[in-house]
PDB file of all heavy atoms in Angstrom:
ATOM      1  N   ARG F  84      36.069 -69.708  31.887  1.00  0.00           N
ATOM      2  CA  ARG F  84      35.178 -68.608  32.259  1.00  0.00           C
ATOM      3  C   ARG F  84      34.008 -68.451  31.284  1.00  0.00           C
ATOM      4  O   ARG F  84      32.937 -68.016  31.655  1.00  0.00           O
ATOM      5  CB  ARG F  84      35.937 -67.268  32.244  1.00  0.00           C
ATOM      6  CG  ARG F  84      36.816 -67.018  33.446  1.00  0.00           C
ATOM      7  CD  ARG F  84      37.198 -65.552  33.570  1.00  0.00           C
ATOM      8  NE  ARG F  84      38.163 -65.409  34.658  1.00  0.00           N
ATOM      9  CZ  ARG F  84      39.476 -65.387  34.499  1.00  0.00           C
ATOM     10  NH1 ARG F  84      40.005 -65.447  33.288  1.00  0.00           N
ATOM     11  NH2 ARG F  84      40.283 -65.277  35.545  1.00  0.00           N
ATOM     12  N   ARG F  85      34.264 -68.788  30.030  1.00  0.00           N
ATOM     13  CA  ARG F  85      33.288 -68.473  28.981  1.00  0.00           C
ATOM     14  C   ARG F  85      32.534 -69.690  28.441  1.00  0.00           C
ATOM     15  O   ARG F  85      31.776 -69.569  27.478  1.00  0.00           O
ATOM     16  CB  ARG F  85      33.997 -67.720  27.853  1.00  0.00           C
ATOM     17  CG  ARG F  85      34.486 -66.330  28.301  1.00  0.00           C
ATOM     18  CD  ARG F  85      35.403 -65.704  27.294  1.00  0.00           C
ATOM     19  NE  ARG F  85      35.880 -64.380  27.702  1.00  0.00           N
ATOM     20  CZ  ARG F  85      36.911 -64.166  28.523  1.00  0.00           C
ATOM     21  NH1 ARG F  85      37.566 -65.185  29.041  1.00  0.00           N
ATOM     22  NH2 ARG F  85      37.280 -62.925  28.837  1.00  0.00           N
ATOM     23  N   GLY F  86      32.760 -70.847  29.039  1.00  0.00           N
ATOM     24  CA  GLY F  86      31.955 -72.003  28.641  1.00  0.00           C
ATOM     25  C   GLY F  86      32.406 -72.678  27.366  1.00  0.00           C
ATOM     26  O   GLY F  86      31.614 -73.340  26.697  1.00  0.00           O
ATOM     27  N   ILE F  87      33.679 -72.518  27.003  1.00  0.00           N
ATOM     28  CA  ILE F  87      34.216 -73.250  25.852  1.00  0.00           C
ATOM     29  C   ILE F  87      34.919 -74.497  26.392  1.00  0.00           C
ATOM     30  O   ILE F  87      35.897 -74.400  27.146  1.00  0.00           O
ATOM     31  CB  ILE F  87      35.207 -72.376  25.057  1.00  0.00           C
ATOM     32  CG1 ILE F  87      34.492 -71.155  24.475  1.00  0.00           C
ATOM     33  CG2 ILE F  87      35.888 -73.196  23.954  1.00  0.00           C
ATOM     34  CD1 ILE F  87      33.422 -71.460  23.443  1.00  0.00           C
ATOM     35  N   THR F  88      34.390 -75.676  26.035  1.00  0.00           N
ATOM     36  CA  THR F  88      34.961 -76.939  26.504  1.00  0.00           C
ATOM     37  C   THR F  88      35.283 -77.814  25.282  1.00  0.00           C
ATOM     38  O   THR F  88      34.908 -77.483  24.155  1.00  0.00           O
ATOM     39  CB  THR F  88      33.955 -77.708  27.384  1.00  0.00           C
ATOM     40  OG1 THR F  88      32.852 -78.108  26.548  1.00  0.00           O
ATOM     41  CG2 THR F  88      33.425 -76.823  28.515  1.00  0.00           C
ATOM     42  N   ASP F  89      35.951 -78.945  25.535  1.00  0.00           N
ATOM     43  CA  ASP F  89      36.268 -79.874  24.442  1.00  0.00           C
ATOM     44  C   ASP F  89      35.007 -80.287  23.680  1.00  0.00           C
ATOM     45  O   ASP F  89      35.063 -80.572  22.490  1.00  0.00           O
ATOM     46  CB  ASP F  89      36.967 -81.123  25.005  1.00  0.00           C
ATOM     47  CG  ASP F  89      38.432 -80.832  25.360  1.00  0.00           C
ATOM     48  OD1 ASP F  89      39.048 -79.967  24.683  1.00  0.00           O
ATOM     49  OD2 ASP F  89      38.949 -81.445  26.303  1.00  0.00           O
ATOM     50  N   ASP F  90      33.867 -80.291  24.382  1.00  0.00           N
ATOM     51  CA  ASP F  90      32.613 -80.731  23.759  1.00  0.00           C
ATOM     52  C   ASP F  90      32.157 -79.833  22.606  1.00  0.00           C
ATOM     53  O   ASP F  90      31.418 -80.270  21.736  1.00  0.00           O
ATOM     54  CB  ASP F  90      31.477 -80.760  24.804  1.00  0.00           C
ATOM     55  CG  ASP F  90      31.686 -81.879  25.809  1.00  0.00           C
ATOM     56  OD1 ASP F  90      32.469 -82.793  25.518  1.00  0.00           O
ATOM     57  OD2 ASP F  90      31.075 -81.817  26.888  1.00  0.00           O
ATOM     58  N   VAL F  91      32.544 -78.553  22.634  1.00  0.00           N
ATOM     59  CA  VAL F  91      32.047 -77.641  21.597  1.00  0.00           C
ATOM     60  C   VAL F  91      33.138 -77.196  20.635  1.00  0.00           C
ATOM     61  O   VAL F  91      32.910 -76.358  19.756  1.00  0.00           O
ATOM     62  CB  VAL F  91      31.382 -76.378  22.217  1.00  0.00           C
ATOM     63  CG1 VAL F  91      30.226 -76.775  23.121  1.00  0.00           C
ATOM     64  CG2 VAL F  91      32.376 -75.516  22.955  1.00  0.00           C
ATOM     65  N   LEU F  92      34.333 -77.760  20.776  1.00  0.00           N
ATOM     66  CA  LEU F  92      35.491 -77.314  19.996  1.00  0.00           C
ATOM     67  C   LEU F  92      35.416 -77.781  18.542  1.00  0.00           C
ATOM     68  O   LEU F  92      35.175 -78.963  18.271  1.00  0.00           O
ATOM     69  CB  LEU F  92      36.752 -77.900  20.643  1.00  0.00           C
ATOM     70  CG  LEU F  92      37.927 -76.996  20.955  1.00  0.00           C
ATOM     71  CD1 LEU F  92      37.522 -75.718  21.634  1.00  0.00           C
ATOM     72  CD2 LEU F  92      38.942 -77.761  21.808  1.00  0.00           C
ATOM     73  N   ALA F  93      35.622 -76.867  17.609  1.00  0.00           N
ATOM     74  CA  ALA F  93      35.672 -77.219  16.194  1.00  0.00           C
ATOM     75  C   ALA F  93      36.974 -77.970  15.896  1.00  0.00           C
ATOM     76  O   ALA F  93      37.945 -77.860  16.647  1.00  0.00           O
ATOM     77  CB  ALA F  93      35.573 -75.952  15.345  1.00  0.00           C
ATOM     78  N   PRO F  94      37.004 -78.735  14.780  1.00  0.00           N
ATOM     79  CA  PRO F  94      38.212 -79.512  14.434  1.00  0.00           C
ATOM     80  C   PRO F  94      39.446 -78.621  14.320  1.00  0.00           C
ATOM     81  O   PRO F  94      39.362 -77.507  13.797  1.00  0.00           O
ATOM     82  CB  PRO F  94      37.857 -80.114  13.067  1.00  0.00           C
ATOM     83  CG  PRO F  94      36.372 -80.120  13.008  1.00  0.00           C
ATOM     84  CD  PRO F  94      35.915 -78.936  13.811  1.00  0.00           C
ATOM     85  N   GLY F  95      40.560 -79.117  14.822  1.00  0.00           N
ATOM     86  CA  GLY F  95      41.821 -78.380  14.691  1.00  0.00           C
ATOM     87  C   GLY F  95      42.138 -77.493  15.876  1.00  0.00           C
ATOM     88  O   GLY F  95      43.268 -77.038  16.033  1.00  0.00           O
ATOM     89  N   PHE F  96      41.132 -77.200  16.718  1.00  0.00           N
ATOM     90  CA  PHE F  96      41.370 -76.404  17.925  1.00  0.00           C
ATOM     91  C   PHE F  96      41.723 -77.326  19.092  1.00  0.00           C
ATOM     92  O   PHE F  96      41.246 -78.457  19.167  1.00  0.00           O
ATOM     93  CB  PHE F  96      40.100 -75.623  18.324  1.00  0.00           C
ATOM     94  CG  PHE F  96      39.771 -74.459  17.426  1.00  0.00           C
ATOM     95  CD1 PHE F  96      38.969 -74.632  16.302  1.00  0.00           C
ATOM     96  CD2 PHE F  96      40.240 -73.180  17.714  1.00  0.00           C
ATOM     97  CE1 PHE F  96      38.647 -73.551  15.476  1.00  0.00           C
ATOM     98  CE2 PHE F  96      39.918 -72.101  16.889  1.00  0.00           C
ATOM     99  CZ  PHE F  96      39.118 -72.287  15.774  1.00  0.00           C
ATOM    100  N   ARG F  97      42.573 -76.829  19.998  1.00  0.00           N
ATOM    101  CA  ARG F  97      42.811 -77.552  21.248  1.00  0.00           C
ATOM    102  C   ARG F  97      42.911 -76.551  22.391  1.00  0.00           C
ATOM    103  O   ARG F  97      43.235 -75.384  22.180  1.00  0.00           O
ATOM    104  CB  ARG F  97      44.087 -78.409  21.159  1.00  0.00           C
ATOM    105  CG  ARG F  97      45.357 -77.619  21.006  1.00  0.00           C
ATOM    106  CD  ARG F  97      46.568 -78.530  20.761  1.00  0.00           C
ATOM    107  NE  ARG F  97      47.783 -77.729  20.575  1.00  0.00           N
ATOM    108  CZ  ARG F  97      48.619 -77.401  21.577  1.00  0.00           C
ATOM    109  NH1 ARG F  97      48.386 -77.804  22.805  1.00  0.00           N
ATOM    110  NH2 ARG F  97      49.682 -76.651  21.338  1.00  0.00           N
ATOM    111  N   ILE F  98      42.618 -77.008  23.591  1.00  0.00           N
ATOM    112  CA  ILE F  98      42.647 -76.152  24.776  1.00  0.00           C
ATOM    113  C   ILE F  98      43.954 -76.383  25.515  1.00  0.00           C
ATOM    114  O   ILE F  98      44.341 -77.522  25.754  1.00  0.00           O
ATOM    115  CB  ILE F  98      41.430 -76.447  25.680  1.00  0.00           C
ATOM    116  CG1 ILE F  98      40.141 -76.057  24.954  1.00  0.00           C
ATOM    117  CG2 ILE F  98      41.550 -75.711  27.009  1.00  0.00           C
ATOM    118  CD1 ILE F  98      38.861 -76.379  25.706  1.00  0.00           C
TER     119      ILE F  98
END
Side-chain angles (χ1 to χ4, degrees):
Chain F
R84 282 197 186 95
R85 293 169 180 83
I87 297 295
T88 67
D89 284 329
D90 290 343
V91 301
L92 230 46
F96 287 89
R97 65 186 178 93
I98 295 176

